[in-house]
Amino acid sequence: MARKTAQDDPLAPVTLAVGQEDLLLDRAVQEVVAAAKAADADTDVRDLTPDQLQPGTLAELTSPSLFAERKVVVVRNAQDLSADTVKDVKAYLGAPAEEITLVLLHAGGAKGKGLLDAARKTGAREVACPKMTKPADRLAFVRGEFRAVGRSATPEACQALVDSIGSDLRELAAAVSQLAADIEGTIDEAVVGRYYTGRAEASSFTVADRAVEGRAAEALEALRWSLATGVAPVLITSALAQGVRAIGKLSSARGGRPADLARELGMPPWKIDRVRQQMKGWTPDGVSVALRAVAEADAGVKGGGEDPGYTLEKAVVTIARAARSKGRA
């Protein structure tokens, strides 16, 4: 049977997992271990930290065995290995042992770059595990999780899950697994709301959505819940700013299909539809008033005001009123 290429094969002699996203790093290890145990249920797995991998340890672990057992050697935080141990690893990379898979987890920065370069030069299988700091990356992650379990979820449901859960990929993955196990058919925004209503109401984006829709009472309720559950005020002002700017961008854009506007404004098509619904009642003057309120709130929560909660309440009320300004004097 033809052997897979090194980049496709979890049983390649060396796998290099690069990045700082713990969930993805753990998954890279789990994929290799699962493949090894599928090939040999008695596979010996050694999971080591830098302080456990002393000079000579790797040679000892990878030396020929009388029973020729399959082995997986995992080295975490490889960027922190001592200089002498790095020499051992580099030497091993040049002549990896049969039936042994070495997995190097490396943060990917400047520290320990020599080892990173050496592993790449020898053709190690590489798995990217970048830290997902952008909301768009986390949204793509959630979509991928649903695809991986063979389930369909609407764009709004995926966004609601990100808004509700936040930035922790483990929690996002667990939420997808729970919804996939419990719900039949397509998973929509209403389902996410039923499962994660407490967290959704605490979301900074929910505060912003209710405010730009002119629903002041609901926005204030969501704001107070957010602050009570520890959401940072600066995240709320950021969400308010995004919400108002989206209204302003779309109101000044040329008409057209959501896909065309999405390209023009840098928004996903589903968000174009949502903002269109939120635009009802807004005027150019209202957008200006709301943007000034956001700027004042941002300054207030960053030290310019004594009470961030009051500052945010004032901004939310101002934005909600601006959203209902159409037709007023």
Side-chain angles (χ1 to χ4, degrees):
M1 183 176 68
R3 184 176 175 81
K4 295 179 181 179
T5 66
Q7 290 301 315
D8 294 333
D9 188 4
L11 294 182
V14 180
T15 285
L16 181 63
V18 184
Q20 299 178 44
E21 190 59 68
D22 290 340
L23 174 65
L24 301 183
L25 290 167
D26 286 345
R27 284 185 173 180
V29 172
Q30 291 163 9
E31 182 185 22
V32 172
V33 171
K37 287 188 175 291
D40 181 354
D42 295 325
T43 294
D44 181 20
V45 179
R46 303 296 181 92
D47 198 323
L48 307 171
T49 55
D51 62 302
Q52 294 173 313
L53 194 67
Q54 297 299 317
T57 303
L58 184 61
E60 182 180 323
L61 290 173
T62 58
S63 60
S65 168
L66 178 63
F67 302 102
E69 64 181 351
R70 182 176 290 278
K71 187 178 294 184
V72 175
V73 179
V74 180
V75 179
R76 296 184 182 272
N77 299 312
Q79 72 278 356
D80 295 330
L81 292 172
S82 68
D84 288 339
T85 302
V86 167
K87 290 180 182 178
D88 287 353
V89 176
K90 286 183 177 179
Y92 177 82
L93 292 173
E98 291 286 335
E99 300 298 312
I100 292 177
T101 300
L102 175 66
V103 185
L104 297 174
L105 275 57
H106 194 292
K111 187 177 183 181
K113 190 173 184 297
L115 178 58
L116 189 64
D117 292 342
R120 286 170 169 163
K121 188 174 181 180
T122 58
R125 169 180 177 261
E126 186 166 341
V127 180
C129 306
K131 197 75 175 175
M132 295 191 182
T133 57
K134 297 179 180 179
D137 292 337
R138 293 192 288 272
L139 183 59
F141 172 79
V142 167
R143 289 172 175 164
E145 290 292 289
F146 278 118
R147 285 195 300 270
V149 295
R151 297 303 305 277
S152 175
T154 66
E156 294 82 3
C158 293
Q159 184 65 55
L161 200 58
V162 172
D163 291 348
S164 301
I165 301 298
S167 61
D168 191 314
L169 289 199
R170 292 187 190 279
E171 291 193 23
L172 285 169
V176 169
S177 296
Q178 181 181 24
L179 290 169
D182 292 356
I183 304 300
E184 295 182 0
T186 299
I187 295 163
D188 59 19
E189 187 176 14
V191 168
V192 174
R194 287 201 305 271
Y195 269 70
Y196 300 101
T197 182
R199 301 183 70 157
E201 289 172 2
S203 163
S204 56
F205 290 100
T206 300
V207 177
D209 283 342
R210 299 298 85 81
V212 300
E213 290 162 5
R215 296 153 66 178
E218 293 175 45
L220 288 171
E221 182 181 358
L223 170 64
R224 288 159 188 159
W225 187 280
S226 291
L227 295 174
T229 54
V231 176
V234 69
L235 295 180
I236 298 173
T237 56
S238 176
L240 289 169
Q242 289 181 48
V244 175
R245 285 172 188 153
I247 297 287
K249 281 183 179 181
L250 193 55
S251 62
S252 61
R254 299 186 304 272
R257 297 177 305 166
D260 296 331
L261 287 170
R263 285 191 294 271
E264 180 184 342
L265 302 178
M267 299 180 191
W270 66 263
K271 189 169 183 178
I272 297 292
D273 291 334
R274 174 181 285 183
V275 176
R276 273 179 168 165
Q277 293 297 316
Q278 294 173 333
M279 281 172 55
K280 297 174 181 177
W282 281 93
T283 65
D285 286 344
V287 172
S288 297
V289 168
L291 286 173
R292 285 197 298 272
V294 170
E296 291 172 4
D298 187 58
V301 302
K302 290 179 179 177
E306 295 182 0
D307 185 347
Y310 172 74
T311 299
L312 287 168
E313 286 186 3
K314 182 179 176 182
V316 163
V317 170
T318 300
I319 293 168
R321 286 176 177 168
R324 301 194 305 273
S325 61
K326 188 173 184 180
R328 294 187 178 189

